[in-house]
Amino acid sequence: MQQLLDTAEKIRTMEIRGAGRIAAAAARALRDYVEMLETSSFEEFVAKVEKAKSILIETRPTAVSLPNAVMLAGSYDAETVEEARSQILDNATEFIRNADTALDNIGEIGAKRLRDGDTVMTHCNSHAALAIIKTAHKQGKRIKVYATESRPRRQGFITIKELSDAGIDTTLIVDSAVRYTMKNVDTVIVGADSITVNGALVNKIGTSQLALAAHEARVNFISAAETYKFSPSTLFGDLVEIEERDPEEVIPSDKLGDIPGVKISNPAFDVTPSEYIDLIVTEAGAFPPQMAYVIIKEHLGWELKKMG
Ligand code: RUB
């Protein structure tokens, strides 16, 4: 259990971050926990596995990749401990393998949308979005990237390091320079923490500003998202919870004394409506956001309830 608790803590504190990475880390933690779980009582096994799943799911509320990973990796239909254990080990291993392959496929599919000489803008640090940019670069296309700083956690610094290590022409901009810079951009590519059944994109705070600026400037806006980033429960009316993080990420606590009474709001994600999204690139194909239900039904196995 200690190892699983350590992973949960790393996700909570963002030592492990990004919707894809937290999904794979959760699947791995669950797999290792189940492998070591010592009990011959099926009831005890079920209770402990379900507890472990909720510990992982409760670490961060917005990325649906987390509950989806736990659901896909941790599913079993068994009556004995050994049967359930073996099914979870297989499912978790398959989830982790598929997650890796998905990034390669997203890279291949998305790179077809970039032309030699294109300029891309990206936000935060998304492995899926970077897979597209890096694949296009590997194909010999000359791609230039504007990466936003992404305050307050500055994940943009991870992005610019990754892009410059790959030899890609990269420029860092502050978040407030998005609209000013958009005139130089051909395509915006961002990741996804959740995509709802109506095709809305939940991603790092500020994503919707990129989308609005892109829309106004007639610039393409693409989200790169593995199919496990689609949110099945939004089909039944659930809303995606937007994580509110510690004000200390915005302003250090020793400075707060200078501004008594001032409140700090630190939402970590925002919502971009589907009308601002041209394309969602998944490992299963690239399609408009209006097709979100198809993914929820065919890849995640949830569908509308039949009446009567
Ligand atoms: C990360 C973020 C990323 C998505 C997709 O937020 O918003 O765009 O998670 O990332 P945080 P990926 O840093 O708060 O986790 O494509 O790597 O899954």
Side-chain angles (χ1 to χ4, degrees):
M1 182 50 104
Q2 193 50 48
Q3 251 179 327
L4 184 129
L5 291 174
D6 288 348
T7 302
E9 189 55 18
K10 284 182 184 163
I11 295 175
R12 195 173 296 111
T13 56
M14 291 175 63
E15 190 177 328
I16 302 173
R17 52 148 298 282
R21 296 286 155 109
I22 62 182
R28 233 174 259 122
L30 188 65
R31 183 188 64 189
D32 296 348
Y33 175 69
V34 166
E35 194 167 25
M36 307 302 282
L37 192 53
E38 281 177 21
T39 174
S40 53
S41 148
F42 187 60
E43 283 69 38
E44 189 185 346
F45 178 89
V46 170
K48 288 194 163 162
V49 170
E50 295 312 310
K51 172 84 187 140
K53 287 181 181 177
S54 10
I55 290 173
L56 291 167
I57 290 173
E58 280 158 20
T59 50
R60 292 193 77 187
T62 304
V64 74
S65 54
L66 195 51
N68 280 349
V70 169
M71 171 186 80
L72 294 166
S75 72
Y76 56 91
D77 179 12
E79 276 158 27
T80 66
V81 170
E82 286 322 314
E83 246 184 322
R85 191 195 314 272
S86 132
Q87 288 176 13
I88 295 176
L89 295 187
D90 286 351
N91 289 335
T93 306
E94 194 185 336
F95 178 85
I96 296 160
R97 196 180 38 237
N98 288 348
D100 270 349
T101 323
L103 279 184
D104 295 341
N105 291 346
I106 287 173
E108 288 296 327
I109 296 172
K112 294 183 189 164
R113 295 303 180 117
L114 296 182
R115 297 157 304 186
D116 186 24
D118 269 357
T119 299
V120 173
M121 183 183 284
T122 190
H123 185 52
C124 191
N125 175 253
S126 156
H127 299 90
L130 294 191
I132 296 179
I133 298 168
K134 285 190 200 164
T135 305
H137 172 75
K138 276 195 208 129
Q139 291 169 346
K141 294 175 187 167
R142 279 157 301 178
I143 306 292
K144 188 175 162 187
V145 180
Y146 284 105
T148 57
E149 181 185 17
S150 310
R151 276 274 293 156
R153 296 288 296 232
R154 297 193 163 98
Q155 291 92 330
F157 291 179
I158 309 172
T159 295
I160 56 171
K161 174 82 174 79
E162 217 174 314
L163 291 172
S164 98
D165 284 352
I168 296 169
D169 179 342
T170 303
T171 306
L172 178 74
I173 57 168
V174 295
D175 301 315
S176 41
V178 161
R179 186 171 183 271
Y180 175 80
T181 310
M182 195 58 78
K183 60 181 179 295
N184 305 319
V185 173
D186 299 293
T187 297
V188 173
I189 308 182
V190 296
D193 276 83
S194 286
I195 295 174
T196 64
V197 69
N198 64 355
L201 165 68
V202 185
N203 193 51
K204 180 54 54 195
I205 190 78
T207 299
S208 64
Q209 290 176 156
L210 270 78
L212 279 172
H215 187 74
E216 185 205 37
R218 308 285 187 272
V219 165
N220 287 324
F221 184 94
I222 295 179
S223 171
E226 299 88 327
T227 48
Y228 63 81
K229 308 267 180 74
F230 286 71
S231 170
S233 70
T234 56
L235 186 56
F236 300 110
D238 282 356
L239 297 173
V240 176
E241 182 185 339
I242 300 295
E243 179 180 9
E244 182 71 34
R245 292 191 63 88
D246 197 326
E248 268 222 42
E249 293 185 341
V250 179
I251 199 166
S253 55
D254 57 343
K255 297 270 185 299
L256 283 174
D258 302 341
I259 43 168
V262 174
K263 296 186 276 299
I264 312 265
S265 164
N266 184 19
F269 300 96
D270 68 15
V271 183
T272 301
S274 61
E275 55 267 36
Y276 297 107
I277 302 165
D278 294 298
L279 195 70
I280 299 178
V281 178
T282 75
E283 74 279 15
F287 44 78
Q290 290 75 13
M291 271 177 68
Y293 175 64
V294 176
I295 296 297
I296 289 174
K297 182 167 182 264
E298 294 186 359
H299 284 262
L300 300 168
W302 292 47
E303 59 183 313
L304 289 166
K305 287 188 173 129
K306 295 192 177 60
M307 303 304 282

